[in-house]
Amino acid sequence: MIEFVNQVFAIHGETYSCLLGLTAAGQLEQLYFGRPVATADAEAFRVRPGLGWGTAVLLQEGDTASCPDVWPLAWSGSGRGDYRESPIQLECSTDLRYESHEILEGDALMEQGLPQALGAEQTLVITMSQPGLRCKLYFAAFPGVLTRRTVLENTGEESVTVGKLMSFSMDLPGRWEMTTFHGGWIAEMNGETRPVGRTRLVNESTTGFSSNRHNPGFLLSRPGAAEEAGEVIGINLVYSGNHYASAQLSHQELTRVMQGISPDHFHWPLQPGEKLETPEAVLCYSAAGFGGQSAQMHDFVNHHIVPAPWQGKARPVLYNSWEGCMFDFDQRKLLRLAREAKSLGCELFVLDDGWFGKRNDDTSSLGDYTVNRKKLPGGLTGLARKIGDMGMDFGLWVEPESVNPDSDLYRAHPDWVLTDDFAPVLSRNQLLLDLTRPEVRDYIVEQVSAVLDSARITYVKWDMNRHSVALGAKAHAYILGLYDVQRRIFTPRPHILLENCASGGNRFDLGMLCFGPQIWCSDNTDPIQRLTIQGNLSQLYPQSTFGTHVSAAPHAQTLRNTPLVTRGNVSFFGCLGYELDLRHLLELEKQEIRQQITFYKQYRETFQFGRFGRIPDGWQVQKEGVTVAGQFRTLVPAAPGYGWLQLRGLESGKRYHLTSRQQKLRIGQFGALVKHVAPVDLNPNGLVLRTADRHITLPDGAQELTATGAALMAGIPMLPPFRGTGYDQNQRTLTDFGSELFIIEEETSHEKP
Ligand code: DGJ
């Protein structure tokens, strides 16, 4: 609910309140942002500057309350006495003052092509102005999230160049810590937490994209905040280009935080009458710790960001050809893989890179989306039909933003690529098409639409594999071009499940999620690395947005050998897929995969849309009385002590039935130890044991018990682990990188208490 009472703007969501005031001079005060309070509390939150701070600039001589430098503000300017970081930079000073406001029911729609969250309850628009400029500040109220954005209009008679225009700026009381997520290819989403001090902390991307280097999403938390307690604010941007966020503590102990398009090389001319609209920033406050924040943020993304046709819609278990085949395939091989995938339980077969032009490696053909008839004599139509006849859907990889110099497209239109003043530099042998040009966008829309309509295609993986050379304003125009192209291709085809990808997670952001509900998290499918990637992504994005695949071990990216069971257990916490050569799997591996897929389908809604939580050593998901928890090991210590399972979010007084998912042990994992229990002397490298390893498994310890929610949340001991004293069916024989899964279901009333 939004109201304007006694010169106070009050925005009340289910989990937060935001109170804004007006100074005597008409600047916008940030009175409060935090847990729900009453509008009438506004006065209690007003700071009192007393005699002021010495030499600070006063807008009204003698009135220490007119000192912009010390005031908690929800917007500021530059050159007029507030010497903290300004959210706006023009060639002139800015001193925007309140002019008017309106409270709209529902959403205020964007006008310049940026995506936005939809389904706001109400939107507050506060208009600030100074001679020649009008600035509208938008505050949209969602139940667990407040979004903000800015629109600047040139109302003067001269052109104005915008160097910086943030989506929001806000001063929060006291001290916070800032957690950001950085990385690179196959190493996305490493977390780093630092106290916000007097030196400015900046989280910024300048590669042209939201980037794997610095995800736009970040957290502010109070020192000492934990999973279930303490104040945490999740902040993110509905944008896929260069971004900037900063946090800095002022001398008056106010933390100024802001976010928007990166000002790096940004020069956006505004002619008289023109406007510039910023992307929408998302602010998600929780007083219930990191878990409380992520649950609210997940709800918001699931209900207000991802395209409506995919909200809450179960995602298929897919098979993707990339890691298993790379460029080396033909129709026969694909159909064999598809038959295998179908027999394992996959529902969608995705043909990745290599199906067009002369693309037998990554040196050529990007841009030429003509089917390679040598590989696929029946074209996509024939292949999709055959796969459809098997009872599976068909999906396709495209990389429409890029072009190889060795392509017909480049030979025909060398001027269509994004360039700077130097000779083009390649990355993965490719250049980017200049999406700021309408004719280039039209070409992409036509080409991709024709491909998508040429066969029964229900899924698209849209890839992008190089950094941009576009700087500042051009980089922003490129992203607007990308949104235009995806909107024109996918809005008329709502049946297509779009998974965006950029060398893995190089564009994991809320902007892309407005077009496709899933993003490929990383080219790294090693489950141990995925614990970091998916675990940290979960702070800001729901697991329904994660593409999570089981691949071969040793892993292509780390050479680590991990158990198949762990590859499954980690991939379950997302949208499950398989990406390995199925032709060479052992029968017992196929059996395991079959069981994984059956299990996943049984709990699919819980894994994809359940409430996600971080528990000691693992994760849990919860939906409608069912909890599935995973615990993951890295290295096994010698003679380990007891292990404990501690769950969250259960009802204390209710009784629950806990079972562990039955796991099997390969004989080979015991190596030479087998000879101690075998009646004959066996060579650990001999044929008998090698053959036995391919066919025989032993059951690992499985737990079953009932307990109250209170007991399960207090933590229960698990079965004893392997301690070097032999195999026992009543212990858990976890090796390095082992893991376990537990299913916890509410007991129905007729069961024994
Ligand atoms: C990079 C992607 O991240 C991979 O999954 C794969 O699609 C390759 N591109 C194909 O070239």
Side-chain angles (χ1 to χ4, degrees):
M1 187 257 285
I2 302 182
E3 56 184 356
F4 182 59
V5 182
N6 294 334
Q7 296 294 101
V8 169
F9 300 101
I11 307 166
H12 300 292
E14 278 169 17
T15 48
Y16 66 90
S17 292
C18 175
L19 303 179
L20 306 163
L22 292 171
T23 66
Q27 291 139 327
L28 195 61
E29 278 178 283
Q30 184 70 55
L31 293 172
Y32 176 81
F33 179 58
R35 71 188 75 212
V37 293
T39 305
D41 291 328
E43 204 44 43
F45 289 117
R46 218 175 275 273
V47 295
R48 293 166 179 84
L51 294 180
W53 274 269
T55 57
V57 171
L58 301 181
L59 295 176
Q60 186 68 46
E61 198 50 43
D63 176 7
T64 54
S66 73
C67 175
D69 206 24
V70 302
W71 222 250
L73 295 171
W75 190 257
S76 183
S78 53
R80 295 281 297 161
D82 183 355
Y83 294 100
R84 294 168 293 178
E85 186 179 3
S86 170
I88 179 169
Q89 243 172 46
L90 312 172
E91 295 123 320
C92 57
S93 297
T94 40
D95 189 2
L96 295 153
R97 307 285 179 94
Y98 173 80
E99 184 187 290
S100 62
H101 75 270
E102 49 184 334
I103 297 170
L104 309 171
E105 292 307 311
D107 302 309
L109 294 180
M110 291 269 192
E111 288 172 8
Q112 295 181 348
L114 285 163
Q116 72 182 114
L118 291 173
E121 285 159 1
Q122 286 174 303
T123 305
L124 166 67
V125 189
I126 301 178
T127 303
M128 314 280 289
S129 62
Q130 70 181 55
L133 286 177
R134 180 174 298 131
C135 187
K136 291 193 178 220
L137 306 177
Y138 288 75
F139 300 76
F142 295 85
V145 152
L146 171 69
T147 72
R148 285 194 54 181
R149 66 188 164 95
T150 311
V151 177
L152 185 70
E153 182 183 355
N154 180 353
T155 53
E157 273 153 29
E158 306 284 316
S159 152
V160 174
T161 301
V162 184
K164 176 181 182 186
L165 185 66
M166 292 289 104
S167 298
F168 84 97
S169 168
M170 181 184 264
D171 293 331
L172 295 164
R175 297 195 171 228
W176 297 82
E177 290 178 341
M178 185 183 195
T179 302
T180 53
F181 301 98
H182 65 274
W185 178 63
I186 66 171
E188 294 87 346
M189 292 304 284
N190 301 286
E192 186 170 72
T193 301
R194 281 169 301 166
V196 179
R198 313 287 173 184
T199 306
R200 191 179 297 165
L201 295 183
V202 168
N203 184 51
E204 183 175 23
S205 159
T206 55
T207 65
F209 306 107
S210 53
S211 93
N212 49 23
R213 298 179 178 210
H214 301 284
N215 193 279
F218 65 101
L219 306 171
L220 288 182
S221 56
R222 291 291 191 193
E227 183 60 18
E228 290 183 302
E231 289 185 292
V232 179
I233 307 177
I235 301 179
N236 210 343
L237 201 61
V238 188
Y239 190 56
S240 313
N242 290 341
H243 60 85
Y244 175 92
S246 68
Q248 188 171 20
L249 185 68
S250 76
H251 181 64
Q252 285 72 27
E253 298 278 317
L254 295 173
T255 292
R256 174 160 291 185
V257 54
M258 61 181 69
Q259 188 177 37
I261 297 175
S262 165
D264 185 73
H265 288 84
F266 190 81
H267 305 286
W268 192 277
L270 279 187
Q271 300 307 326
E274 283 184 352
K275 293 179 191 167
L276 173 62
E277 186 170 65
T278 71
E280 189 172 31
V282 172
L283 294 132
C284 177
Y285 171 90
S286 172
F290 293 95
Q293 188 287 135
S294 56
Q296 279 168 228
M297 191 66 113
H298 290 190
D299 274 359
F300 170 74
V301 176
N302 277 329
H303 295 112
H304 301 285
I305 290 285
V306 303
W310 294 97
Q311 288 174 11
K313 185 163 177 187
R315 313 293 164 68
V317 177
L318 66 80
Y319 174 80
N320 177 297
S321 66
W322 178 244
E323 287 208 17
C325 302
M326 303 246 156
F327 298 99
D328 180 21
F329 59 80
D330 56 19
Q331 177 158 304
R332 240 173 81 112
K333 183 170 173 181
L334 294 179
L335 290 176
R336 169 144 182 227
L337 287 167
R339 270 191 297 276
E340 292 284 4
K342 171 70 187 169
S343 80
L344 298 176
C346 293
E347 298 158 314
L348 165 71
F349 183 90
V350 179
L351 175 56
D352 208 282
D353 199 353
W355 56 267
F356 51 88
K358 301 178 277 129
R359 195 156 165 87
N360 297 317
D361 55 35
D362 62 14
T363 59
S364 86
S365 302
L366 283 178
D368 302 340
Y369 294 103
T370 324
V371 182
N372 180 333
R373 294 272 166 179
K374 273 199 198 137
K375 289 183 180 177
L376 306 177
L380 293 174
T381 326
L383 180 64
R385 191 178 311 119
K386 285 189 179 349
I387 286 174
D389 290 345
M390 289 178 201
M392 262 196 299
D393 284 333
F394 179 66
L396 195 67
W397 177 98
V398 287
E399 189 175 347
E401 296 163 69
S402 299
V403 64
N404 288 117
D406 181 6
S407 66
D408 293 341
L409 178 64
Y410 185 77
R411 282 182 281 273
H413 298 284
D415 56 319
W416 276 12
V417 297
L418 206 54
T419 49
D420 50 22
D421 298 333
F422 297 92
V425 276
L426 301 180
S427 167
R428 206 190 185 209
N429 310 300
Q430 65 200 58
L431 298 161
L432 285 177
L433 291 170
D434 187 351
L435 267 59
T436 68
R437 296 173 61 163
E439 67 277 27
V440 174
R441 297 202 298 273
D442 290 347
Y443 174 84
I444 293 177
V445 172
E446 265 166 41
Q447 288 284 303
V448 177
S449 301
V451 168
L452 298 186
D453 296 340
S454 71
R456 210 185 153 270
I457 293 172
T458 60
Y459 164 102
V460 166
K461 178 175 171 190
W462 180 295
D463 204 350
M464 190 284 293
N465 283 295
R466 71 154 295 167
H467 296 312
S468 176
V469 294
L471 294 172
K474 180 118 184 185
H476 178 54
Y478 179 98
I479 294 297
L480 292 177
L482 169 66
Y483 292 149
D484 173 53
V485 161
Q486 286 212 347
R487 191 174 282 123
R488 283 161 64 192
I489 295 174
F490 295 105
T491 309
R493 297 176 180 81
H495 62 285
I496 293 184
L497 169 58
L498 170 63
E499 176 158 345
N500 274 295
C501 162
S503 310
N506 197 13
R507 215 153 56 179
F508 208 114
D509 61 66
L510 296 180
M512 298 319 292
L513 285 173
C514 287
F515 296 90
Q518 278 173 223
I519 298 180
W520 181 224
C521 302
S522 173
D523 277 352
N524 196 334
T525 45
D526 174 335
I528 302 307
Q529 187 70 30
R530 282 292 183 119
L531 291 177
T532 303
I533 297 171
Q534 292 170 219
N536 282 332
L537 277 174
S538 78
Q539 299 281 357
L540 295 150
Y541 305 93
Q543 67 277 11
S544 66
T545 63
F546 302 174
T548 53
H549 297 181
V550 171
S551 64
H555 292 273
Q557 305 82 6
T558 57
L559 290 183
R560 194 179 357 246
N561 218 335
T562 62
L564 179 53
V565 73
T566 297
R567 285 176 263 156
N569 286 349
V570 172
S571 302
F572 289 159
F573 290 84
C575 299
L576 179 66
Y578 287 79
E579 190 166 340
L580 69 171
D581 193 341
L582 302 173
R583 297 171 309 163
H584 308 308
L585 291 176
L586 299 174
E587 196 42 49
L588 56 80
E589 290 175 313
K590 287 188 192 168
Q591 255 171 39
E592 165 63 17
I593 292 181
R594 233 170 256 129
Q595 285 162 3
Q596 285 180 350
I597 296 180
T598 307
F599 174 79
Y600 181 77
K601 286 179 180 167
Q602 191 181 347
Y603 295 101
R604 177 182 350 221
E605 303 270 321
T606 311
F607 278 122
Q608 294 180 354
F609 300 106
R611 177 176 170 146
F612 184 94
R614 287 157 288 269
I615 57 173
D617 298 321
W619 305 323
Q620 67 170 40
V621 280
Q622 274 173 333
K623 196 171 195 297
E624 289 157 12
V626 178
T627 302
V628 186
Q631 280 205 321
F632 308 103
R633 299 276 172 285
T634 47
L635 295 184
V636 170
Y642 297 111
W644 305 84
L645 177 68
Q646 192 180 10
L647 301 170
R648 303 189 194 280
L650 302 175
E651 286 188 47
S652 298
K654 278 202 172 142
R655 286 196 77 77
Y656 294 85
H657 184 229
L658 175 146
T659 44
S660 42
R661 178 166 180 259
Q662 179 68 64
Q663 298 189 168
K664 303 209 181 87
L665 305 168
R666 298 264 303 259
I667 292 278
Q669 85 184 58
F670 294 94
L673 294 173
V674 177
K675 71 179 182 191
H676 298 309
V677 291
V680 287
D681 187 15
L682 285 175
N683 172 358
N685 291 320
L687 186 62
V688 175
L689 263 187
R690 275 193 285 132
T691 312
D693 182 47
R694 292 165 148 260
H695 298 287
I696 302 174
T697 55
L698 297 171
D700 196 13
Q703 210 156 350
E704 182 163 5
L705 54 85
T706 56
T708 59
L712 293 166
M713 290 192 291
I716 52 153
M718 294 185 290
L719 292 180
F722 179 76
R723 296 196 189 102
T725 42
Y727 163 76
D728 173 9
Q729 270 209 35
N730 293 315
Q731 77 182 9
R732 298 167 303 131
T733 309
L734 295 182
T735 51
D736 284 352
F737 317 122
S739 62
E740 281 172 290
L741 225 58
F742 301 91
I743 304 103
I744 303 98
E745 288 174 285
E746 265 177 42
E747 276 197 336
T748 42
S749 49
H750 63 268
E751 283 177 64
K752 219 166 58 183

